[in-house]
Amino acid sequence: MTSQQIDPATAWQARYGEVATRPLPPVPAVLAALLAHRSVRAYTDQPVDDEALELAIAAAQSASSSSNLQPWSVIAVRDPARRARLAELAGGQRHVAEAPLFLAWVADWSRLRRLGAAQGVATDGIDYLESYTVGVVDTALAAQNAVVAFEAQGLGIVYIGGMRNQPEAAAAELGLPQDSFVVFGMCVGHPDQARPAEIKPRLAQAAVLHREHYDAAGEAVAVGHYDPLMRRFQQDQQRDDRPWSQTSLQRVGSAEALMGRHRLREALNALGFALR
Amino acid sequence: MTSQQIDPATAWQARYGEVATRPLPPVPAVLAALLAHRSVRAYTDQPVDDEALELAIAAAQSASSSSNLQPWSVIAVRDPARRARLAELAGGQRHVAEAPLFLAWVADWSRLRRLGAAQGVATDGIDYLESYTVGVVDTALAAQNAVVAFEAQGLGIVYIGGMRNQPEAAAAELGLPQDSFVVFGMCVGHPDQARPAEIKPRLAQAAVLHREHYDAAGEAVAVGHYDPLMRRFQQDQQRDDRPWSQTSLQRVGSAEALMGRHRLREALNALGFALR
């Protein structure tokens, strides 16, 4: 089933656990596809062709870039042995080894470092947390456009944050130069219809959309509604069905809960990011 | 002119300064819209209605979220006086004051801090650079989905990185709690057809898309092609027409060139981000 085959009203109800507060108008196909997004971890053996990849990268490059600096790169990995090694680095995520295409999305300041070195000019601005932030933002904007482009072509994706578990090892595996690092990975493939993914519910808009100024007043009600909604969803998926607030708080409870990523700052320093 | 009215082959040529390396197949409307993206800074007086906003936020919430933590918020600002003040904070960007709707996209860990405090559990994981990074990534993925959703509804947008020029002042203006900060802003409005925006060229795919491992071999040729391409584009726009490599290197040349953002780390510390 492709995203386009779920109508917006059904997607809205799956996302928020209730019908929309006002009748949904007929929406463009683009919007219907966005509302129906699901992370896909089960793929057929069919490869992702280069044409689909290059269209997705053109979409990625069409996203906004701060001052047009374009501080990102993407590594397309098809080699099964390399995907298997990356799967291990990501904490043993099978879908990284199984997806026909894996993309490593890289915040990449090395390009401007090389240009600066070639022209004999300083690039000290790269050493600041601001530039790290710009690199991460621009990489994410590009990646998300690629997601929309892949899904429009009938493909499915899942982001792999586990690429930050061992940043130096990921960089070494992909031959990254200094001043670049894998922000996240992405599996891409043709969804296996025999193992379909469902639309995951989210917090009510009242919890995330504020008017004129920040207002947490609607938050307790929203979380009170969301916890049982997510429990039911997880039960349907036969997964850990503790309330969202409990699993989320555990995830941010301690350095240990970050699965190695508590040392991201040290890893980034080693990869050339001074983070001043 | 809406994005849909530029055909993909024309958009590809505008983006890369050359025709596609292979004939473009008929692509879905979604993809055609992505390829035709332009940042819009000139708007009509027509307001952006709440329905369009709420659909865009539903699209934003449909983007992936790391461990489903959803660590972001968005503040919708319509009040002209507040927009005028935010325009000043962003370095005097007129379009922030002129756009009928301004969105402040917030990396927001305050929600889980409040939940943790209410339940009496530690949330020490929030204090790490990893959590800052997750907050920035998830905010950017959400925002980019909103962009696609707005453009699908005929609206135009431009990102405002200038919201990081004075992060504490932006947070105060919007009443942000500790553990949250405005990653970037976004102007939204109906494009003024009398002042149309053009598709901005980007580096060739050879410079950003790598196969199996990082490879800078195609980079010099790509930049050599891109510099004159961007000069012609800038001349057509009657803007600064120095080569891209020169303006970009100047932008990252020094702390001073970051327009106040060299102190982002200090500002984030003040806003509650320990960045361990």
Side-chain angles (χ1 to χ4, degrees), chain A residues 25-35 145 148, chain B residues 1-5 29-34 36-38 40 51-53 55-56 59 143-157 188-191:
Chain A
V27 300
V30 185
L31 201 40
L34 294 175
L35 297 178
N145 257 19
V148 179
Chain B
M1 190 187 295
T2 69
S3 298
Q4 287 82 347
Q5 290 174 275
V30 184
L31 200 40
L34 293 175
H37 166 76
R38 289 143 288 172
V40 171
E51 185 171 274
L53 170 61
L55 280 168
Q144 187 56 24
N145 257 18
V147 167
V148 179
F150 280 127
E151 291 181 349
Q153 298 179 84
L155 294 154
I157 69 95
V188 187
H190 293 268

Side-chain angles (χ1 to χ4, degrees), chain A:
Chain A
M1 190 186 295
T2 67
S3 298
Q4 288 81 347
Q5 290 174 274
I6 294 180
D7 74 275
T10 303
W12 188 288
Q13 185 157 10
R15 192 69 73 197
Y16 293 117
E18 56 192 19
V19 296
T21 49
R22 66 186 93 207
L24 284 183
V27 300
V30 185
L31 201 40
L34 294 175
L35 297 178
H37 166 77
R38 289 142 289 171
S39 293
V40 172
R41 294 175 178 81
Y43 312 94
T44 69
D45 292 335
Q46 190 184 342
V48 175
D49 63 32
D50 252 16
E51 186 171 274
L53 170 61
E54 289 167 17
L55 280 169
I57 300 306
Q61 291 191 265
S62 298
S64 296
S65 170
S66 181
S67 300
N68 195 29
L69 295 172
Q70 306 177 59
W72 60 271
S73 281
V74 59
I75 325 284
V77 179
R78 297 182 187 276
D79 176 19
R82 181 170 285 114
R83 283 191 284 105
R85 292 192 296 271
L86 291 169
E88 283 311 301
L89 291 182
Q93 297 193 44
R94 258 177 53 185
H95 35 281
V96 175
E98 291 173 358
L101 175 63
F102 180 81
L103 299 180
W105 290 92
V106 175
D108 185 4
W109 285 106
S110 77
R111 191 180 300 125
L112 281 170
R113 283 278 203 227
R114 284 188 293 277
L115 272 175
Q119 300 193 14
V121 299
T123 50
D124 296 349
I126 291 175
D127 297 328
Y128 288 80
L129 184 67
E130 161 67 10
S131 294
Y132 172 74
T133 302
V134 165
V136 169
V137 167
D138 279 12
T139 303
L141 301 184
Q144 186 56 22
N145 257 19
V147 167
V148 179
F150 281 127
E151 292 181 349
Q153 299 178 86
L155 294 154
I157 69 96
V158 62
Y159 280 95
I160 305 296
M163 293 305 292
R164 293 190 304 278
N165 290 4
Q166 301 180 59
E168 297 99 322
E173 176 62 47
L174 298 166
L176 297 194
Q178 282 278 297
D179 304 302
S180 66
F181 107 104
V182 183
V183 184
F184 44 73
M186 184 185 291
C187 301
V188 187
H190 293 268
D192 181 358
Q193 311 300 358
R195 296 174 288 168
E198 299 300 322
I199 290 177
K200 185 177 281 182
R202 298 285 195 223
L203 288 162
Q205 289 208 358
V208 301
L209 173 59
H210 311 254
R211 311 281 182 161
E212 299 301 331
H213 54 77
Y214 197 98
D215 180 6
E219 180 175 286
V221 169
V223 173
H225 171 79
Y226 187 59
D227 271 343
L229 179 66
M230 268 303 290
R231 287 196 69 173
R232 284 195 299 276
F233 175 81
Q234 293 289 87
Q235 283 163 358
D236 288 347
Q237 306 284 306
Q238 301 179 308
R239 288 195 294 234
D240 175 6
D241 72 345
R242 287 173 301 156
W244 172 82
S245 53
Q246 194 179 331
T247 52
S248 297
L249 286 171
Q250 184 179 53
R251 190 73 184 76
V252 297
S254 63
E256 293 69 34
L258 299 182
M259 302 185 296
R261 301 184 208 165
H262 64 284
R263 57 174 298 283
L264 181 62
R265 179 164 161 170
E266 176 188 332
L268 283 165
N269 288 160
L271 294 171
F273 292 81
L275 304 171
R276 289 210 175 98

Side-chain angles (χ1 to χ4, degrees), chain B residues 59-106:
Chain B
Q61 290 191 267
S62 299
S64 296
S65 170
S66 181
S67 298
N68 194 30
L69 295 173
Q70 306 177 58
W72 60 271
S73 281
V74 59
I75 324 283
V77 178
R78 297 183 187 276
D79 176 19
R82 181 170 284 113
R83 284 191 284 106
R85 291 192 296 271
L86 291 168
E88 283 310 303
L89 290 182
Q93 297 194 46
R94 257 178 54 185
H95 35 281
V96 175
E98 291 173 358
L101 174 64
F102 180 81
L103 298 179
W105 290 92
V106 175

